[in-house]
């Protein structure tokens, strides 16, 4: 049975859920993306401002306890000019490549359309692993779509009805 690990860039997809005005059920997202494959882990990455709100903390606890998510929070750093520096992409990249080397999965499932992941995807494919991307059409970088191949791209836009709470 094919083994998968899911890597969710929540900062990336949460904006899409907001844009389409839906509240997504992350348990349904996990089931939909996994399909009939063996789930080896599901990671949710997010940049946050310290301290976390009680509402956010409760949501993370619920995801961990109810759905087995491994939450990886990076506390954002405000840099010159008010911009926010996030380290989420770096953490995702490290985990995807490390777990590929550890042979923890056959297919990495990246839930993000961010073009910053092009070199990561290329490296994982070079290591003999498959990669799927689940993203919103408007946020999928052309370069990511090209390196992954259109047959490995799935659009969240097409399954929003299945993800609603």
């Amino acid at each position: 049975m094919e083994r998968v690990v899911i890597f969710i860039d929540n900062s990336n997809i949460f904006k899409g859920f907001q844009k389409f005005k839906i509240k997504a059920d992350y348990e349904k997202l996990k089931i939909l993306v996994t399909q009939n494959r063996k789930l080896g882990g599901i990671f949710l990455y997010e940049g946050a401002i310290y301290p976390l709100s009680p509402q956010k903390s409760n949501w993370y606890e619920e995801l961990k306890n109810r759905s087995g998510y491994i939450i990886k929070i990076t506390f954002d750093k405000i840099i010159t000019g008010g911009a926010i520096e996030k380290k989420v992409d770096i953490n995702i990249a490290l985990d995807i490549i490390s777990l590929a080397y550890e042979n923890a999965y056959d297919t990495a499932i990246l839930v993000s359309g961010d073009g910053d992941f092009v070199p990561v995807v290329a490296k994982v494919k070079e290591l003999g692993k498959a990669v799927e991307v689940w993203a919103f059409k408007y946020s999928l970088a052309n370069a990511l779509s090209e390196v992954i191949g259109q047959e490995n791209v799935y659009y969240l836009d097409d399954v929003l009805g299945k993800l609603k709470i």
Side-chain angles (χ1 to χ4, degrees):
M1 178 178 270
E2 180 184 5
R3 302 169 301 141
V4 299
V5 174
I6 303 170
F7 304 90
I8 300 174
D9 179 352
N10 198 52
S11 303
N12 185 282
I13 66 160
F14 186 74
K15 290 175 191 161
F17 292 139
Q18 284 182 317
K19 177 181 166 94
F20 288 101
K21 297 179 173 65
I22 74 152
K23 189 167 169 108
D25 182 328
Y26 281 62
E27 174 66 12
K28 290 179 181 177
L29 176 64
K30 177 181 83 172
I31 292 166
L32 178 75
V33 171
T34 302
Q35 297 167 3
N36 293 316
R37 301 176 285 187
K38 182 177 178 2
L39 181 62
I42 183 164
F43 297 86
L44 182 127
Y45 302 83
E46 187 159 34
I49 303 295
Y50 185 84
L52 290 175
S53 70
Q55 180 183 17
K56 196 68 141 176
S57 293
N58 290 341
W59 184 67
Y60 291 143
E61 281 302 313
E62 182 182 326
L63 280 178
K64 284 193 283 190
N65 296 333
R66 179 179 147 224
S67 301
Y69 276 73
I70 298 163
I71 309 297
K72 298 221 172 177
I73 302 168
T74 303
F75 290 103
D76 297 338
K77 180 174 145 189
I78 298 175
I79 54 177
T80 312
I84 296 176
E85 177 186 306
K86 297 180 181 174
K87 300 175 188 88
V88 170
D89 292 357
I90 292 169
N91 292 335
I92 295 171
L94 282 170
D95 286 347
I96 289 176
I97 291 172
S98 296
L99 290 172
Y101 273 110
E102 294 168 14
N103 195 29
Y105 61 79
D106 303 309
T107 301
I109 300 174
L110 176 63
V111 184
S112 175
D114 192 331
D116 290 344
F117 293 113
V118 167
V120 175
V121 168
K123 183 63 177 179
V124 169
K125 288 174 70 174
E126 184 182 301
L127 293 170
K129 303 296 182 185
V131 184
E132 290 177 10
V133 165
W134 288 72
F136 289 99
K137 291 174 186 172
Y138 81 89
S139 70
L140 179 62
N142 289 335
L144 184 58
S145 180
E146 287 172 16
V147 75
I148 206 156
Q150 193 59 44
E151 69 279 4
N152 297 309
V153 174
Y154 299 87
Y155 294 109
L156 293 168
D157 315 54
D158 298 337
V159 294
L160 286 176
K162 295 177 181 177
L163 299 176
K164 285 184 184 179
I165 289 179

